[in-house]
Amino acid sequence: MTENLTLQMDDYLPLRDVVFNTLREAILKGELKPGERLMEMHLATKLGVSRTPIREAIRMLEQEGLAVTIPRKGAQVAKMTEKDLQDVLEVRDALDALAVVCACERMTDAQFVELKEAMKAFENATHTDDVRKIVETDEAFHDVIYAAAANPKLENIINSAREQMYRYRYEYVKNPSVYAQLIAEHRAIIEGFNRRDVEYLKSIMHTHLSNQINAVRVVIREQV
């Protein structure tokens, strides 16, 4: 439903990005439902903007997998599918495995301290009701690992795939019941780097991701 949509103004962003962020947040929070039409004129009127930034924002949503254009029907909120979930997270699984192999060899003492600080920031975030903050601190934890891999090509590939993964990560952490498990997995990752145990790290990272896949798969099956 679009009744509660309000433009999230930001003086430092182009209008299309402001519209994109507003619609993106509404989709991730479930205020715009899977399959709901994204009608340019209606959204433009609701948000008090012209149709041009709406059109540009919808294209950006399509790039992130949050919207899809159906012939003769127009744009609508993309439905999450088990196939897309599996495809996206299989890619991440492979990238994470390579990242921990590289990071285990190359992580500096300063980066290990940074990783522990990132873990603590995530734990603190789980005590809030701010899902976006929880997602961002979870991403920040993993970003330390990617940076420690010291492979700019790998980091670029991971960043390019990040948008496709964001919706599933957001959907996962919307459920507070997973926080204790996530924290335990983050602590296990810390222990793996402390021991410089590559095989253990690859295993815990795979488990970390498998738990996300299984939890989000349940959500997808409950979609109307």
Side-chain angles (χ1 to χ4, degrees):
M1 301 296 287
T2 59
E3 283 79 3
N4 297 323
L5 271 184
T6 304
L7 203 61
Q8 301 173 4
M9 292 305 301
D10 187 325
D11 293 337
Y12 298 99
L13 290 177
L15 186 56
R16 68 174 185 185
D17 291 345
V18 173
V19 173
F20 166 71
N21 287 335
T22 300
L23 296 178
R24 183 182 194 247
E25 191 76 4
I27 291 170
L28 293 173
K29 287 183 175 179
E31 294 167 357
L32 288 171
K33 305 293 185 184
E36 187 168 346
R37 292 184 65 190
L38 299 171
M39 295 178 285
E40 290 180 13
M41 184 64 74
H42 176 72
L43 290 171
T45 301
K46 179 64 183 175
L47 297 176
V49 299
S50 70
R51 293 176 65 177
T52 298
I54 298 291
R55 190 175 303 118
E56 292 172 340
I58 289 174
R59 289 198 196 101
M60 294 166 72
L61 291 170
E62 288 177 329
Q63 291 172 2
E64 195 163 316
L66 294 176
V68 61
T69 296
I70 307 296
R72 295 184 295 279
K73 289 186 177 180
Q76 65 182 45
V77 177
K79 295 181 179 180
M80 292 186 293
T81 68
E82 291 189 53
K83 178 64 166 66
D84 188 55
L85 169 70
Q86 191 71 35
D87 289 350
V88 167
L89 296 185
E90 276 181 1
V91 171
R92 183 181 158 196
D93 194 23
L95 294 173
D96 279 358
L98 178 56
V100 295
V101 169
C102 296
C104 197
E105 177 183 344
R106 302 167 186 167
M107 181 176 285
T108 66
D109 290 344
Q111 287 171 324
F112 185 60
V113 170
E114 186 181 356
L115 188 64
K116 289 191 287 186
E117 290 173 347
M119 178 183 69
K120 186 62 178 176
F122 173 77
E123 291 181 16
N124 290 339
T126 62
H127 297 303
T128 73
D129 294 324
D130 189 340
V131 177
R132 184 194 290 182
K133 184 180 180 69
I134 297 169
V135 172
E136 288 174 351
T137 53
D138 183 42
E139 285 190 328
F141 176 83
H142 288 274
D143 284 346
V144 177
I145 298 171
Y146 302 147
N151 185 328
K153 299 291 187 185
L154 173 61
E155 206 168 354
N156 286 339
I157 293 170
I158 289 169
N159 286 334
S160 69
R162 185 187 302 269
E163 293 176 346
Q164 297 292 323
M165 300 173 188
Y166 188 89
R167 187 181 195 183
Y168 298 111
R169 189 191 297 264
Y170 193 101
E171 196 64 44
Y172 185 40
V173 304
K174 277 164 66 174
N175 182 0
S177 68
V178 305
Y179 296 163
Q181 177 178 279
L182 277 169
I183 290 168
E185 288 166 359
H186 282 187
R187 289 176 177 172
I189 291 167
I190 292 283
E191 178 58 25
F193 278 111
N194 187 48
R195 300 193 329 232
R196 302 282 177 171
D197 188 334
V198 173
E199 293 307 315
Y200 175 79
L201 280 166
K202 288 165 66 176
S203 175
I204 194 63
M205 291 291 277
H206 178 73
T207 299
H208 189 52
L209 200 60
S210 294
N211 288 337
Q212 181 176 344
I213 291 173
N214 292 334
V216 178
R217 184 178 285 126
V218 172
V219 175
I220 291 172
R221 290 174 179 173
E222 292 174 349
Q223 282 184 154
V224 178

